[in-house]
Amino acid sequence: MTAPGLRPITRKLLELTGALRRVNRACSTFQTFAEVLRLPKRQMTKLAFPLQELQRHLTPDARLDLHVKIFDPSLEDISKAESVFTATGRNRIEYLSSAVRLDHAPDLAHPEVCFIGRSNVGKSSLIKALFALAPEVEVRVSKKPGHTKKMNFFKVGKYFTLVDMPGYGYRAPEDFVDMVETYLKERRNLMRTFLLVDSVVGIQKTDSIAIGMCEEFSLPYVMVLTKIDKSSKGHLLKQVLQIQKFVDSETQGCFPQLFPVSSVTYSGIHLLRCFIADITGNLKTDGFGQLELNT
Ligand code: GDP
C-alpha cells in the first residue's frame, strides 16, 4: 500500500519500484544453496536437480533414457561445493586477463575448465550465475550477440581457473576457430569443456561443429542446456530427450548426463557448481554413481 495523498504518477512509480524489488528478490534468492534447502521438497528438487524433476514426467521406459544419477551428489556435498565459489578474504575470485591467442593466456598450474557456446546461448549469464557469490567479479552480459571476442580467464582462489571462450556463430570473430581450436587442442591443464546448448532451440549446426571439435581432440566435455525457464515442460522434455539420444548415439567424449540450467531461476546452478568443484579435484563427493568419468 502506498501512502494516500501522493500524486498518481508518484504512486505508480513507487508501486513499480516495489514490484521490481520483489522480482529482484525472487530472482536473487536462490543464489545460495541454503535458500534452496529451505524450500518445500518438490521445489527444492526442481531447483537442485532439474533433470530429475523432468524425468518424473516420463513413462518408465523413457525414464531409462535419461542418465540422471550418474553425477548424483548429496545435498551436503552441494552445500560444501558452494565454499569454492564463495569469495572471501582467503578465497579470491577474480578476473585475471583476456587473450586472443593461446600464447597470451596466463600460465597457470591450476586445473582449468572452459565454457564454449554459440553467441547468445547464455554463456555470460551462466558464468555470472556461477559467480553470484563473488559479486565483485565482473562478467559482461551483452545485449549484442558476439561481444566476447577474447578468451577471458577467471581465477577461482587456489581451486581452478574458469575460461569464458568467445561465442561462435553469428558475428564470431574470424580467428575464432584458430583461437578456440588451438586452445582446446593444446591447453595442458584443461580438465573439462562445458559446451552450452540453448534448450529452446536445441543443437544447431554451429553447435555440431564445436561438438565435432571436442570429439576430434578426444576431449572430455559436458553438455549444459541453458535457459530452461523459457520453455514449457513439454518442449523442454522433447529437447532433452532428443539431445540425450544424440549424446548417447553420436558422441564418445561427452559426459552422458546433461546439465539443464537457468541463470534466471538458478535451477541447476548449484549442481553444476558441485560438479565443477568435484572434477577439478576440489571436493571429494560420492556423486559419481554408475559411471566413471573418462578424463
Ligand atoms: P552469451 O552471448 O552466450 O554470453 O549470452 P548472454 O548471457 O548475453 O545471454 C543472451 C540473452 O539470453 C540475454 O538477453 C540474456 O538475458 C538471456 N538469457 C541468458 N540466460 C538466460 C536464462 O537462463 N533464462 C532466460 N530466460 N534468459 C536468459
Side-chain angles (χ1 to χ4, degrees), residues 117-126 140-148 164 167 196 226-230 261-265:
R118 279 186 313 120
S119 300
N120 229 30
V121 71
K123 186 159 51 63
S124 319
S125 304
L126 173 61
R140 272 187 61 196
V141 178
S142 152
K143 292 279 159 273
K144 288 190 214 130
H147 83 267
T148 319
D164 178 11
L196 276 51
T226 61
K227 308 185 190 177
I228 60 166
D229 60 291
K230 272 187 103 171
V261 294
S262 163
S263 307
V264 173
T265 64

PDB file of all heavy atoms in Angstrom, residues 117-126 140-148 164 167 196 226-230 261-265, ligand 1:
ATOM      1  N   GLY A 117      30.174 -21.920 -26.502  1.00  0.00           N
ATOM      2  CA  GLY A 117      28.788 -21.975 -26.974  1.00  0.00           C
ATOM      3  C   GLY A 117      28.521 -20.900 -28.011  1.00  0.00           C
ATOM      4  O   GLY A 117      29.321 -19.971 -28.161  1.00  0.00           O
ATOM      5  N   ARG A 118      27.406 -21.049 -28.710  1.00  0.00           N
ATOM      6  CA  ARG A 118      27.023 -20.048 -29.712  1.00  0.00           C
ATOM      7  C   ARG A 118      26.813 -18.705 -29.049  1.00  0.00           C
ATOM      8  O   ARG A 118      26.432 -18.638 -27.875  1.00  0.00           O
ATOM      9  CB  ARG A 118      25.698 -20.463 -30.372  1.00  0.00           C
ATOM     10  CG  ARG A 118      25.854 -21.496 -31.456  1.00  0.00           C
ATOM     11  CD  ARG A 118      24.537 -21.755 -32.158  1.00  0.00           C
ATOM     12  NE  ARG A 118      23.436 -21.953 -31.244  1.00  0.00           N
ATOM     13  CZ  ARG A 118      22.348 -21.195 -31.195  1.00  0.00           C
ATOM     14  NH1 ARG A 118      22.208 -20.166 -31.999  1.00  0.00           N
ATOM     15  NH2 ARG A 118      21.376 -21.468 -30.336  1.00  0.00           N
ATOM     16  N   SER A 119      26.998 -17.637 -29.810  1.00  0.00           N
ATOM     17  CA  SER A 119      26.675 -16.313 -29.290  1.00  0.00           C
ATOM     18  C   SER A 119      25.210 -16.325 -28.871  1.00  0.00           C
ATOM     19  O   SER A 119      24.380 -16.932 -29.557  1.00  0.00           O
ATOM     20  CB  SER A 119      26.830 -15.265 -30.391  1.00  0.00           C
ATOM     21  OG  SER A 119      28.138 -15.278 -30.844  1.00  0.00           O
ATOM     22  N   ASN A 120      24.935 -15.698 -27.760  1.00  0.00           N
ATOM     23  CA  ASN A 120      23.565 -15.582 -27.262  1.00  0.00           C
ATOM     24  C   ASN A 120      23.012 -16.839 -26.601  1.00  0.00           C
ATOM     25  O   ASN A 120      21.833 -16.884 -26.251  1.00  0.00           O
ATOM     26  CB  ASN A 120      22.618 -15.172 -28.404  1.00  0.00           C
ATOM     27  CG  ASN A 120      21.743 -14.025 -27.979  1.00  0.00           C
ATOM     28  OD1 ASN A 120      22.152 -13.211 -27.154  1.00  0.00           O
ATOM     29  ND2 ASN A 120      20.537 -13.956 -28.524  1.00  0.00           N
ATOM     30  N   VAL A 121      23.857 -17.843 -26.423  1.00  0.00           N
ATOM     31  CA  VAL A 121      23.372 -19.095 -25.812  1.00  0.00           C
ATOM     32  C   VAL A 121      23.107 -18.917 -24.314  1.00  0.00           C
ATOM     33  O   VAL A 121      22.418 -19.718 -23.684  1.00  0.00           O
ATOM     34  CB  VAL A 121      24.382 -20.245 -26.062  1.00  0.00           C
ATOM     35  CG1 VAL A 121      25.664 -20.081 -25.251  1.00  0.00           C
ATOM     36  CG2 VAL A 121      23.768 -21.609 -25.795  1.00  0.00           C
ATOM     37  N   GLY A 122      23.676 -17.817 -23.755  1.00  0.00           N
ATOM     38  CA  GLY A 122      23.502 -17.573 -22.324  1.00  0.00           C
ATOM     39  C   GLY A 122      24.764 -17.867 -21.531  1.00  0.00           C
ATOM     40  O   GLY A 122      24.714 -18.116 -20.328  1.00  0.00           O
ATOM     41  N   LYS A 123      25.907 -17.778 -22.207  1.00  0.00           N
ATOM     42  CA  LYS A 123      27.190 -18.130 -21.568  1.00  0.00           C
ATOM     43  C   LYS A 123      27.569 -17.127 -20.479  1.00  0.00           C
ATOM     44  O   LYS A 123      27.881 -17.521 -19.358  1.00  0.00           O
ATOM     45  CB  LYS A 123      28.280 -18.232 -22.652  1.00  0.00           C
ATOM     46  CG  LYS A 123      29.613 -18.728 -22.135  1.00  0.00           C
ATOM     47  CD  LYS A 123      30.472 -19.294 -23.230  1.00  0.00           C
ATOM     48  CE  LYS A 123      30.619 -18.359 -24.420  1.00  0.00           C
ATOM     49  NZ  LYS A 123      31.297 -17.093 -24.102  1.00  0.00           N
ATOM     50  N   SER A 124      27.537 -15.833 -20.820  1.00  0.00           N
ATOM     51  CA  SER A 124      27.902 -14.825 -19.804  1.00  0.00           C
ATOM     52  C   SER A 124      26.947 -14.902 -18.618  1.00  0.00           C
ATOM     53  O   SER A 124      27.367 -14.797 -17.471  1.00  0.00           O
ATOM     54  CB  SER A 124      27.840 -13.414 -20.377  1.00  0.00           C
ATOM     55  OG  SER A 124      28.352 -13.374 -21.658  1.00  0.00           O
ATOM     56  N   SER A 125      25.660 -15.090 -18.918  1.00  0.00           N
ATOM     57  CA  SER A 125      24.675 -15.154 -17.828  1.00  0.00           C
ATOM     58  C   SER A 125      24.955 -16.352 -16.929  1.00  0.00           C
ATOM     59  O   SER A 125      24.835 -16.255 -15.704  1.00  0.00           O
ATOM     60  CB  SER A 125      23.259 -15.272 -18.396  1.00  0.00           C
ATOM     61  OG  SER A 125      22.995 -14.211 -19.262  1.00  0.00           O
ATOM     62  N   LEU A 126      25.330 -17.454 -17.536  1.00  0.00           N
ATOM     63  CA  LEU A 126      25.612 -18.649 -16.740  1.00  0.00           C
ATOM     64  C   LEU A 126      26.849 -18.434 -15.861  1.00  0.00           C
ATOM     65  O   LEU A 126      26.836 -18.760 -14.664  1.00  0.00           O
ATOM     66  CB  LEU A 126      25.821 -19.869 -17.663  1.00  0.00           C
ATOM     67  CG  LEU A 126      26.285 -21.143 -16.958  1.00  0.00           C
ATOM     68  CD1 LEU A 126      25.279 -21.613 -15.914  1.00  0.00           C
ATOM     69  CD2 LEU A 126      26.542 -22.267 -17.959  1.00  0.00           C
ATOM     70  N   ARG A 140      30.798  -9.600 -18.215  1.00  0.00           N
ATOM     71  CA  ARG A 140      29.939  -8.768 -19.057  1.00  0.00           C
ATOM     72  C   ARG A 140      28.803  -9.576 -19.651  1.00  0.00           C
ATOM     73  O   ARG A 140      29.009 -10.643 -20.200  1.00  0.00           O
ATOM     74  CB  ARG A 140      30.766  -8.144 -20.186  1.00  0.00           C
ATOM     75  CG  ARG A 140      31.398  -6.839 -19.805  1.00  0.00           C
ATOM     76  CD  ARG A 140      32.045  -6.218 -21.014  1.00  0.00           C
ATOM     77  NE  ARG A 140      31.084  -5.949 -22.059  1.00  0.00           N
ATOM     78  CZ  ARG A 140      31.411  -5.698 -23.322  1.00  0.00           C
ATOM     79  NH1 ARG A 140      32.658  -5.685 -23.686  1.00  0.00           N
ATOM     80  NH2 ARG A 140      30.493  -5.442 -24.213  1.00  0.00           N
ATOM     81  N   VAL A 141      27.588  -9.067 -19.509  1.00  0.00           N
ATOM     82  CA  VAL A 141      26.446  -9.700 -20.166  1.00  0.00           C
ATOM     83  C   VAL A 141      25.983  -8.724 -21.231  1.00  0.00           C
ATOM     84  O   VAL A 141      25.543  -7.627 -20.932  1.00  0.00           O
ATOM     85  CB  VAL A 141      25.301  -9.996 -19.169  1.00  0.00           C
ATOM     86  CG1 VAL A 141      24.117 -10.600 -19.882  1.00  0.00           C
ATOM     87  CG2 VAL A 141      25.782 -10.936 -18.078  1.00  0.00           C
ATOM     88  N   SER A 142      26.131  -9.156 -22.470  1.00  0.00           N
ATOM     89  CA  SER A 142      25.879  -8.215 -23.557  1.00  0.00           C
ATOM     90  C   SER A 142      24.500  -8.402 -24.167  1.00  0.00           C
ATOM     91  O   SER A 142      23.944  -9.488 -24.181  1.00  0.00           O
ATOM     92  CB  SER A 142      26.944  -8.441 -24.637  1.00  0.00           C
ATOM     93  OG  SER A 142      26.462  -8.090 -25.884  1.00  0.00           O
ATOM     94  N   LYS A 143      23.964  -7.327 -24.672  1.00  0.00           N
ATOM     95  CA  LYS A 143      22.705  -7.427 -25.408  1.00  0.00           C
ATOM     96  C   LYS A 143      23.018  -7.723 -26.880  1.00  0.00           C
ATOM     97  O   LYS A 143      22.192  -8.205 -27.611  1.00  0.00           O
ATOM     98  CB  LYS A 143      21.914  -6.113 -25.304  1.00  0.00           C
ATOM     99  CG  LYS A 143      21.408  -5.835 -23.912  1.00  0.00           C
ATOM    100  CD  LYS A 143      20.123  -6.617 -23.617  1.00  0.00           C
ATOM    101  CE  LYS A 143      19.864  -6.788 -22.147  1.00  0.00           C
ATOM    102  NZ  LYS A 143      20.501  -7.951 -21.540  1.00  0.00           N
ATOM    103  N   LYS A 144      24.272  -7.407 -27.261  1.00  0.00           N
ATOM    104  CA  LYS A 144      24.645  -7.639 -28.665  1.00  0.00           C
ATOM    105  C   LYS A 144      25.319  -9.000 -28.798  1.00  0.00           C
ATOM    106  O   LYS A 144      26.278  -9.277 -28.090  1.00  0.00           O
ATOM    107  CB  LYS A 144      25.653  -6.569 -29.121  1.00  0.00           C
ATOM    108  CG  LYS A 144      25.059  -5.219 -29.309  1.00  0.00           C
ATOM    109  CD  LYS A 144      26.083  -4.323 -29.996  1.00  0.00           C
ATOM    110  CE  LYS A 144      25.947  -2.913 -29.489  1.00  0.00           C
ATOM    111  NZ  LYS A 144      27.205  -2.349 -29.083  1.00  0.00           N
ATOM    112  N   PRO A 145      24.816  -9.825 -29.739  1.00  0.00           N
ATOM    113  CA  PRO A 145      25.450 -11.124 -29.890  1.00  0.00           C
ATOM    114  C   PRO A 145      26.918 -10.979 -30.299  1.00  0.00           C
ATOM    115  O   PRO A 145      27.265 -10.049 -31.027  1.00  0.00           O
ATOM    116  CB  PRO A 145      24.666 -11.802 -31.013  1.00  0.00           C
ATOM    117  CG  PRO A 145      23.480 -10.953 -31.282  1.00  0.00           C
ATOM    118  CD  PRO A 145      23.732  -9.601 -30.695  1.00  0.00           C
ATOM    119  N   GLY A 146      27.727 -11.880 -29.834  1.00  0.00           N
ATOM    120  CA  GLY A 146      29.114 -11.940 -30.315  1.00  0.00           C
ATOM    121  C   GLY A 146      30.067 -10.968 -29.666  1.00  0.00           C
ATOM    122  O   GLY A 146      31.130 -10.718 -30.213  1.00  0.00           O
ATOM    123  N   HIS A 147      29.717 -10.434 -28.476  1.00  0.00           N
ATOM    124  CA  HIS A 147      30.624  -9.432 -27.925  1.00  0.00           C
ATOM    125  C   HIS A 147      31.907 -10.049 -27.382  1.00  0.00           C
ATOM    126  O   HIS A 147      32.928  -9.413 -27.351  1.00  0.00           O
ATOM    127  CB  HIS A 147      29.930  -8.613 -26.826  1.00  0.00           C
ATOM    128  CG  HIS A 147      29.940  -9.268 -25.478  1.00  0.00           C
ATOM    129  ND1 HIS A 147      28.917 -10.060 -25.052  1.00  0.00           N
ATOM    130  CD2 HIS A 147      30.876  -9.265 -24.489  1.00  0.00           C
ATOM    131  CE1 HIS A 147      29.210 -10.514 -23.851  1.00  0.00           C
ATOM    132  NE2 HIS A 147      30.387 -10.053 -23.488  1.00  0.00           N
ATOM    133  N   THR A 148      31.837 -11.314 -26.950  1.00  0.00           N
ATOM    134  CA  THR A 148      33.012 -11.920 -26.320  1.00  0.00           C
ATOM    135  C   THR A 148      33.983 -12.369 -27.409  1.00  0.00           C
ATOM    136  O   THR A 148      33.804 -13.411 -27.998  1.00  0.00           O
ATOM    137  CB  THR A 148      32.594 -13.141 -25.464  1.00  0.00           C
ATOM    138  OG1 THR A 148      31.407 -12.818 -24.786  1.00  0.00           O
ATOM    139  CG2 THR A 148      33.673 -13.530 -24.501  1.00  0.00           C
ATOM    140  N   ASP A 164      36.149 -18.191 -20.131  1.00  0.00           N
ATOM    141  CA  ASP A 164      34.976 -17.830 -20.931  1.00  0.00           C
ATOM    142  C   ASP A 164      35.479 -17.661 -22.368  1.00  0.00           C
ATOM    143  O   ASP A 164      36.223 -16.728 -22.669  1.00  0.00           O
ATOM    144  CB  ASP A 164      34.425 -16.511 -20.369  1.00  0.00           C
ATOM    145  CG  ASP A 164      33.233 -15.997 -21.145  1.00  0.00           C
ATOM    146  OD1 ASP A 164      32.699 -16.731 -21.980  1.00  0.00           O
ATOM    147  OD2 ASP A 164      32.840 -14.837 -20.891  1.00  0.00           O
ATOM    148  N   GLY A 167      32.053 -16.463 -28.165  1.00  0.00           N
ATOM    149  CA  GLY A 167      30.880 -17.152 -28.708  1.00  0.00           C
ATOM    150  C   GLY A 167      31.060 -17.443 -30.191  1.00  0.00           C
ATOM    151  O   GLY A 167      31.621 -16.636 -30.919  1.00  0.00           O
ATOM    152  N   LEU A 196      27.742 -25.285 -24.184  1.00  0.00           N
ATOM    153  CA  LEU A 196      26.389 -24.806 -23.887  1.00  0.00           C
ATOM    154  C   LEU A 196      25.484 -24.923 -25.103  1.00  0.00           C
ATOM    155  O   LEU A 196      25.867 -24.527 -26.217  1.00  0.00           O
ATOM    156  CB  LEU A 196      26.460 -23.333 -23.443  1.00  0.00           C
ATOM    157  CG  LEU A 196      26.780 -23.053 -21.969  1.00  0.00           C
ATOM    158  CD1 LEU A 196      27.995 -23.792 -21.490  1.00  0.00           C
ATOM    159  CD2 LEU A 196      26.937 -21.560 -21.741  1.00  0.00           C
ATOM    160  N   THR A 226      20.949 -24.495 -21.569  1.00  0.00           N
ATOM    161  CA  THR A 226      20.682 -23.197 -20.947  1.00  0.00           C
ATOM    162  C   THR A 226      19.210 -22.776 -21.099  1.00  0.00           C
ATOM    163  O   THR A 226      18.467 -23.345 -21.894  1.00  0.00           O
ATOM    164  CB  THR A 226      21.567 -22.100 -21.581  1.00  0.00           C
ATOM    165  OG1 THR A 226      21.239 -22.015 -22.965  1.00  0.00           O
ATOM    166  CG2 THR A 226      23.042 -22.403 -21.399  1.00  0.00           C
ATOM    167  N   LYS A 227      18.836 -21.784 -20.325  1.00  0.00           N
ATOM    168  CA  LYS A 227      17.537 -21.086 -20.419  1.00  0.00           C
ATOM    169  C   LYS A 227      16.340 -22.002 -20.229  1.00  0.00           C
ATOM    170  O   LYS A 227      15.328 -21.856 -20.918  1.00  0.00           O
ATOM    171  CB  LYS A 227      17.414 -20.362 -21.774  1.00  0.00           C
ATOM    172  CG  LYS A 227      18.587 -19.450 -22.110  1.00  0.00           C
ATOM    173  CD  LYS A 227      18.338 -18.673 -23.387  1.00  0.00           C
ATOM    174  CE  LYS A 227      19.590 -17.945 -23.856  1.00  0.00           C
ATOM    175  NZ  LYS A 227      19.432 -17.244 -25.108  1.00  0.00           N
ATOM    176  N   ILE A 228      16.437 -22.954 -19.307  1.00  0.00           N
ATOM    177  CA  ILE A 228      15.340 -23.922 -19.182  1.00  0.00           C
ATOM    178  C   ILE A 228      14.055 -23.302 -18.640  1.00  0.00           C
ATOM    179  O   ILE A 228      13.007 -23.904 -18.709  1.00  0.00           O
ATOM    180  CB  ILE A 228      15.732 -25.163 -18.337  1.00  0.00           C
ATOM    181  CG1 ILE A 228      16.145 -24.765 -16.922  1.00  0.00           C
ATOM    182  CG2 ILE A 228      16.810 -25.974 -19.016  1.00  0.00           C
ATOM    183  CD1 ILE A 228      16.204 -25.963 -15.977  1.00  0.00           C
ATOM    184  N   ASP A 229      14.166 -22.083 -18.110  1.00  0.00           N
ATOM    185  CA  ASP A 229      12.945 -21.413 -17.637  1.00  0.00           C
ATOM    186  C   ASP A 229      12.105 -20.891 -18.792  1.00  0.00           C
ATOM    187  O   ASP A 229      10.956 -20.512 -18.610  1.00  0.00           O
ATOM    188  CB  ASP A 229      13.333 -20.229 -16.727  1.00  0.00           C
ATOM    189  CG  ASP A 229      14.187 -19.209 -17.458  1.00  0.00           C
ATOM    190  OD1 ASP A 229      15.352 -19.519 -17.777  1.00  0.00           O
ATOM    191  OD2 ASP A 229      13.700 -18.118 -17.752  1.00  0.00           O
ATOM    192  N   LYS A 230      12.673 -20.899 -20.005  1.00  0.00           N
ATOM    193  CA  LYS A 230      11.989 -20.233 -21.122  1.00  0.00           C
ATOM    194  C   LYS A 230      10.947 -21.103 -21.822  1.00  0.00           C
ATOM    195  O   LYS A 230      10.087 -20.580 -22.523  1.00  0.00           O
ATOM    196  CB  LYS A 230      13.023 -19.768 -22.157  1.00  0.00           C
ATOM    197  CG  LYS A 230      13.564 -18.380 -21.878  1.00  0.00           C
ATOM    198  CD  LYS A 230      14.433 -17.906 -22.983  1.00  0.00           C
ATOM    199  CE  LYS A 230      13.773 -16.900 -23.886  1.00  0.00           C
ATOM    200  NZ  LYS A 230      14.739 -16.316 -24.835  1.00  0.00           N
ATOM    201  N   VAL A 261      20.147 -25.889 -17.013  1.00  0.00           N
ATOM    202  CA  VAL A 261      20.292 -24.766 -16.076  1.00  0.00           C
ATOM    203  C   VAL A 261      19.433 -23.576 -16.491  1.00  0.00           C
ATOM    204  O   VAL A 261      19.075 -23.426 -17.662  1.00  0.00           O
ATOM    205  CB  VAL A 261      21.765 -24.249 -15.985  1.00  0.00           C
ATOM    206  CG1 VAL A 261      22.692 -25.284 -15.388  1.00  0.00           C
ATOM    207  CG2 VAL A 261      22.279 -23.766 -17.324  1.00  0.00           C
ATOM    208  N   SER A 262      19.143 -22.743 -15.502  1.00  0.00           N
ATOM    209  CA  SER A 262      18.569 -21.433 -15.798  1.00  0.00           C
ATOM    210  C   SER A 262      19.332 -20.404 -14.975  1.00  0.00           C
ATOM    211  O   SER A 262      19.434 -20.546 -13.753  1.00  0.00           O
ATOM    212  CB  SER A 262      17.091 -21.375 -15.422  1.00  0.00           C
ATOM    213  OG  SER A 262      16.697 -20.016 -15.363  1.00  0.00           O
ATOM    214  N   SER A 263      19.815 -19.396 -15.638  1.00  0.00           N
ATOM    215  CA  SER A 263      20.536 -18.339 -14.920  1.00  0.00           C
ATOM    216  C   SER A 263      19.566 -17.353 -14.304  1.00  0.00           C
ATOM    217  O   SER A 263      19.969 -16.476 -13.552  1.00  0.00           O
ATOM    218  CB  SER A 263      21.461 -17.603 -15.891  1.00  0.00           C
ATOM    219  OG  SER A 263      22.268 -18.531 -16.547  1.00  0.00           O
ATOM    220  N   VAL A 264      18.280 -17.507 -14.625  1.00  0.00           N
ATOM    221  CA  VAL A 264      17.266 -16.617 -14.059  1.00  0.00           C
ATOM    222  C   VAL A 264      16.735 -17.198 -12.750  1.00  0.00           C
ATOM    223  O   VAL A 264      16.689 -16.523 -11.735  1.00  0.00           O
ATOM    224  CB  VAL A 264      16.117 -16.403 -15.079  1.00  0.00           C
ATOM    225  CG1 VAL A 264      14.969 -15.633 -14.456  1.00  0.00           C
ATOM    226  CG2 VAL A 264      16.636 -15.671 -16.309  1.00  0.00           C
ATOM    227  N   THR A 265      16.378 -18.479 -12.761  1.00  0.00           N
ATOM    228  CA  THR A 265      15.820 -19.090 -11.544  1.00  0.00           C
ATOM    229  C   THR A 265      16.884 -19.769 -10.682  1.00  0.00           C
ATOM    230  O   THR A 265      16.603 -20.177  -9.568  1.00  0.00           O
ATOM    231  CB  THR A 265      14.769 -20.162 -11.913  1.00  0.00           C
ATOM    232  OG1 THR A 265      15.451 -21.210 -12.633  1.00  0.00           O
ATOM    233  CG2 THR A 265      13.659 -19.603 -12.784  1.00  0.00           C
TER     234      THR A 265
HETATM  235  P1  GDP B   1      26.132 -15.030 -24.474  1.00  0.00           P
HETATM  236  O1  GDP B   1      26.200 -14.247 -25.749  1.00  0.00           O
HETATM  237  O2  GDP B   1      26.196 -16.502 -24.718  1.00  0.00           O
HETATM  238  O3  GDP B   1      27.101 -14.580 -23.418  1.00  0.00           O
HETATM  239  O4  GDP B   1      24.644 -14.847 -23.899  1.00  0.00           O
HETATM  240  P2  GDP B   1      24.102 -13.906 -22.732  1.00  0.00           P
HETATM  241  O5  GDP B   1      24.435 -14.449 -21.394  1.00  0.00           O
HETATM  242  O6  GDP B   1      24.499 -12.482 -23.023  1.00  0.00           O
HETATM  243  O7  GDP B   1      22.534 -14.135 -22.929  1.00  0.00           O
HETATM  244  C1  GDP B   1      21.883 -13.844 -24.138  1.00  0.00           C
HETATM  245  C2  GDP B   1      20.445 -13.445 -23.844  1.00  0.00           C
HETATM  246  O8  GDP B   1      19.742 -14.544 -23.242  1.00  0.00           O
HETATM  247  C3  GDP B   1      20.354 -12.281 -22.849  1.00  0.00           C
HETATM  248  O9  GDP B   1      19.258 -11.468 -23.232  1.00  0.00           O
HETATM  249  C4  GDP B   1      20.060 -12.971 -21.526  1.00  0.00           C
HETATM  250  O10 GDP B   1      19.333 -12.162 -20.639  1.00  0.00           O
HETATM  251  C5  GDP B   1      19.244 -14.169 -21.965  1.00  0.00           C
HETATM  252  N1  GDP B   1      19.437 -15.315 -21.058  1.00  0.00           N
HETATM  253  C6  GDP B   1      20.615 -15.863 -20.718  1.00  0.00           C
HETATM  254  N2  GDP B   1      20.419 -16.896 -19.871  1.00  0.00           N
HETATM  255  C7  GDP B   1      19.094 -16.985 -19.656  1.00  0.00           C
HETATM  256  C8  GDP B   1      18.254 -17.852 -18.876  1.00  0.00           C
HETATM  257  O11 GDP B   1      18.707 -18.781 -18.181  1.00  0.00           O
HETATM  258  N3  GDP B   1      16.911 -17.636 -18.944  1.00  0.00           N
HETATM  259  C9  GDP B   1      16.361 -16.649 -19.703  1.00  0.00           C
HETATM  260  N4  GDP B   1      15.030 -16.518 -19.693  1.00  0.00           N
HETATM  261  N5  GDP B   1      17.112 -15.809 -20.444  1.00  0.00           N
HETATM  262  C10 GDP B   1      18.455 -15.969 -20.433  1.00  0.00           C
END
